[in-house]
Amino acid sequence: MLTLVVGDGGDGGKPARAVATVSPSSSSSSGAGTGSGSGSGGSSSAQPTDSGSPSASAPPAGYGLREDTEGFRIAVPEGWSRSAVKSRFGMAVVSYRSPDREHRLQVYQVAEESPEASFELYLSDATPKPDGFQELGLTRLDDGPFTGSRLEYLADRIDGEPDVGTWHVIDERFVAQDGRIYAVASYGPDADGRDDELAQVTTAVDWFCPPDTQCDDDPAVD
């Protein structure tokens, strides 16, 4: 089933990465996943704070660690604002946006049984796509303990987002340390190049720590 979100629609990906060691603080193993959730805005939640805990390493320059009110940790560009909409599966769909609202990172839980199955459903005729949808590539990222897939595509319009011309989207869906499946998607104008969306989604996933899970302060990013 493709989980619906009370909001709009949207969606991201990275090559092999190192994965942090974790000890789940609550026993949640078999995770279930959620299809394409995409929330364009919606009700704002309390602003999450930057993580104040010391760490052996830190995200790249220009990024800060956020301890989101949905319980997960993530690295996002500094100065970005947060909003969230309810999902019919798992945690709320959380979006972080740049001050000009032309770039967005979206985080949500996936309902399907694997990243591959989630993208298979999203790319099927049964799932509506953004206007002007053009698939650029679907890549499996499985490497050692990391299991995930990345979809890259273009779209003429994303519901609830400003008109920036062609949108470039990288959507990565992966099995997190708690055994559940999550998605992190990066959106931005195609006109300013595609490296920024790739950097944003890979940094976010490298530093992602799911709810109710104790993750290393240093994810040993390559």
Side-chain angles (χ1 to χ4, degrees):
M1 91 181 193
L2 190 67
T3 299
L4 298 178
V5 174
V6 183
D8 69 340
D11 304 288
K14 162 178 178 186
R17 56 169 53 77
V19 177
T21 19
V22 297
S23 349
S25 47
S26 69
S27 60
S28 50
S29 45
S30 60
T34 82
S36 103
S38 147
S40 66
S43 58
S44 288
S45 302
Q47 184 73 19
T49 57
D50 291 341
S51 171
S53 59
S55 63
S57 185
Y63 289 80
L65 284 182
R66 309 287 285 269
E67 299 289 349
D68 196 271
T69 53
E70 287 297 312
F72 62 84
R73 180 195 72 185
I74 197 168
V76 301
E78 294 174 347
W80 284 26
S81 60
R82 178 196 187 274
S83 63
V85 293
K86 291 180 180 179
S87 172
R88 294 184 184 177
F89 178 86
M91 68 184 198
V93 178
V94 177
S95 291
Y96 291 95
R97 287 183 175 81
S98 61
D100 61 8
R101 299 184 64 82
E102 292 188 352
H103 293 83
R104 176 176 70 162
L105 272 172
Q106 184 183 64
V107 188
Y108 57 93
Q109 194 173 340
V110 174
E112 289 72 55
E113 66 274 14
S114 68
E116 186 178 19
S118 184
F119 279 128
E120 181 178 351
L121 179 57
Y122 179 72
L123 292 171
S124 72
D125 293 339
T127 304
K129 311 293 189 298
D131 292 346
F133 175 86
Q134 179 186 344
E135 181 181 346
L136 297 179
L138 177 61
T139 306
R140 293 193 66 167
L141 307 175
D142 298 359
D143 181 63
F146 185 83
T147 300
S149 295
R150 175 191 300 151
L151 174 67
E152 183 175 9
Y153 65 89
L154 302 177
D156 292 339
R157 188 174 68 88
I158 300 294
D159 287 349
E161 301 301 327
D163 181 7
V164 299
T166 301
W167 284 89
H168 175 236
V169 183
I170 296 182
D171 180 347
E172 186 165 323
R173 304 182 188 187
F174 57 97
V175 181
Q177 293 94 321
D178 61 354
R180 295 188 170 99
I181 303 170
Y182 297 87
V184 175
S186 179
Y187 301 74
D190 191 47
D192 68 2
R194 299 175 181 177
D195 291 345
D196 48 354
E197 285 79 46
L198 181 60
Q200 287 157 16
V201 79
T202 55
T203 300
V205 173
D206 282 336
W207 286 88
F208 182 81
C209 183
D212 301 318
T213 304
Q214 181 63 49
C215 299
D216 289 345
D217 285 334
D218 180 2
V221 180
D222 287 339

